[in-house]
Amino acid sequence: MVVVAVAVLCTLPSVIAAIPAGSSPIGVDQLRQRIVASTRQPFQGYAQSSAALGLPSLPDLADVTGLLSATTTMRAWYAGSNQHRVDVITGFGERDYYQTPTATYVWDYGQNLLSELVGTAPIRLPQAEDLLPPELAWRILQVDSTDAVTGLPA
């Protein structure tokens, strides 16, 4: 009896994987519209982004090259495009980015330093918030809204 139960449990994942997935009731265009509209939806969550562009570590751009050449672990609380918080978690602390309607604040736990950034930079470099799933999907789909998008087979 025990051998039969173990055999059933061992074959169960293979049986479930063999069942074909059903098609989605949402069309591709409707899904694209929902993703683009998601920037207005509040969310919170935990995300990891892994990139391997192999950029060298540059002293004044370590935050940017780290985003594009390593694994970035983040926590996010998003109320809107001008009100959110993203924490980049590292092995020795964290760096928190707070966006308010009037300014951006950066709290570096390791250096015990709070910085206030007022205004907009002439050149915007990639930031941790750009790697969050809703933001990244929105940026990819906004590149050219006339590009054809097709669904994968079930």
Side-chain angles (χ1 to χ4, degrees), residues 12-144:
L12 192 58
S14 298
V15 171
I16 292 173
I19 298 171
S23 62
S24 174
I26 299 172
V28 178
D29 292 329
Q30 185 181 10
L31 180 60
R32 181 184 192 144
Q33 290 170 354
R34 285 184 180 185
I35 291 170
V36 171
S38 71
T39 57
R40 296 184 298 268
Q41 298 296 317
F43 70 90
Q44 63 183 0
Y46 175 84
Q48 274 191 330
S49 171
S50 183
L53 293 180
L55 298 175
S57 181
L58 302 171
D60 292 334
L61 296 174
D63 292 339
V64 175
T65 57
L67 292 175
L68 303 174
S69 298
T71 298
T72 305
T73 303
M74 299 164 284
R75 286 186 307 232
W77 295 267
Y78 185 89
S81 61
N82 66 350
Q83 283 188 298
H84 54 270
R85 171 183 168 186
V86 177
D87 299 347
V88 176
I89 304 164
T90 63
F92 53 88
E94 64 184 49
R95 184 174 212 143
D96 305 339
Y97 299 86
Y98 300 88
Q99 178 66 53
T100 68
T102 58
T104 301
Y105 299 92
V106 180
W107 167 249
D108 190 325
Y109 175 82
Q111 295 182 356
N112 197 25
L113 176 66
L114 176 66
S115 303
E116 178 183 16
L117 309 171
V118 180
T120 57
I123 298 174
R124 187 184 181 282
L125 295 173
Q127 300 171 357
E129 69 186 54
D130 299 336
L131 301 177
L132 293 170
E135 183 72 17
L136 188 58
W138 179 80
R139 286 182 181 280
I140 289 170
L141 291 175
Q142 285 297 106
V143 171
D144 187 359

